[in-house]
Amino acid sequence: MKKPKIEVIDKNGSFKVLMKNVPVEIANSIRRIILSEVRTLAIHDVFIFKNNSVLNDDTLAHRLGLIPLKTSRKKVKELLDSVDETDYVTIVLNVSARDKFMTVYSKHLKSKDKEVKPVSNDIVIAKLSPGQAIEAELWARVGSGSEHAKWSPVSVAVVRGLPKISLSKDIPADIAKNLVDICPKNVFILEDDKVKISDPLKCTLCMLCEKEYPEYVKVKIDESSSLLYIEPIGHLPIKDIFEDAFEILMKKLYDFVKLLTEVDINVT
Ligand code: SF4
C-alpha cells in the first residue's frame, strides 16, 4: 500500500478532503467515526434557579443543550483524563430584562473556562419581556455523536471515490462546446476551441457527458483514493477532528488485531 496523503481544501466553511491512497472503505470508516465517535463538548446538565420567561424549563434546557461549543482536542482530552469530579466546564447564564424587552443570545453565556465558548455569539436563546429573567448554571460535558447529535462535530459527511475523467484528443469544436454546456458542475472549460478539465473534484459522477459522447469522454471512479466532503459545525478545528478520528480508528484496529491473535479455529 502506498503512503496516504491528505489534502484539505477549504470551501468557505465546508471542506473537500482529498485522501490519496486511502481506499473508499477506509475513508468511510473515518467518515463514520467523525460523525459518531469524535469527542466534543456540549451542554448536558442545566440547573435553572430562576426562569419566568415564556419558555418552560424543559424547552430552555433543550435549547441550551443544542448550542454548539467551540473548544480544542487538547481541552477535551484534559477533561477525559480528569481524575477528580471536575470533568465538566461550568457556564453561567444570568440575564434580566429589567424595564425593556430583551433578546437573550448565546453571547450572554459566560464560560468559566476561556478555552470553551459558543461557536457563534448570535444564536437566539429566548426573548424576555420587562421584568423577566433567567438565572442558570450549565455544565458542558464530553460526549460523541453516537450518544446525541449535539456532540457530532459535523452536520454533513459524505465519501466517494475520486472521479477520473479522460478526454480523447480529437474532439470537434462543436462537440467541445456542447461538452462544456452539458456538464452541470462546470468541470470542463474551452481554451482555443479545445475542451479542458478545469477541476475534476467538482465532478459528481452524474455521467451525463459520457452518456452523450461515449466516444470522446470516459468517466471512471478511482477507488484507491477517496474524496470526503464534510461540513464542520465548529466544535473543533478540522485538524483536531481528523486527529481524534485517526486515534479512535487506530485503537479499534489495534483491538481487532489483538483479538485475531487469540482466535480459536475449530475444524470439525
Ligand atoms: S460525470 Fe457529470 S459532473 Fe462529471 S464531468 Fe461528466 S457531466 Fe460533469
Side-chain angles (χ1 to χ4, degrees), residues 165 182-185 187-188 203-209 219:
I165 307 166
I182 212 173
C183 175
K185 290 292 168 185
V187 171
F188 305 117
C203 174
T204 54
L205 302 165
C206 72
M207 309 309 260
L208 270 177
C209 53
V219 181

Side-chain angles (χ1 to χ4, degrees), residues 11-28:
K11 298 265 177 195
N12 297 327
S14 58
F15 294 86
K16 275 185 178 172
V17 185
L18 183 56
M19 300 172 131
K20 288 218 174 111
N21 304 322
V22 179
V24 174
E25 311 81 72
I26 307 277
N28 193 39

Side-chain angles (χ1 to χ4, degrees), residues 23-36:
V24 174
E25 311 81 72
I26 307 277
N28 193 39
S29 304
I30 295 167
R31 179 191 75 87
R32 292 177 64 125
I33 289 171
I34 288 175
L35 273 170
S36 60

Side-chain angles (χ1 to χ4, degrees), residues 114-142:
K114 60 180 181 355
E115 289 180 67
V116 178
K117 58 180 181 181
V119 297
S120 161
N121 282 331
D122 304 323
I123 302 168
V124 174
I125 298 171
K127 300 228 175 192
L128 302 183
S129 297
Q132 294 183 340
I134 298 172
E135 286 174 22
E137 183 173 305
L138 329 166
W139 290 357
R141 290 190 183 276
V142 176

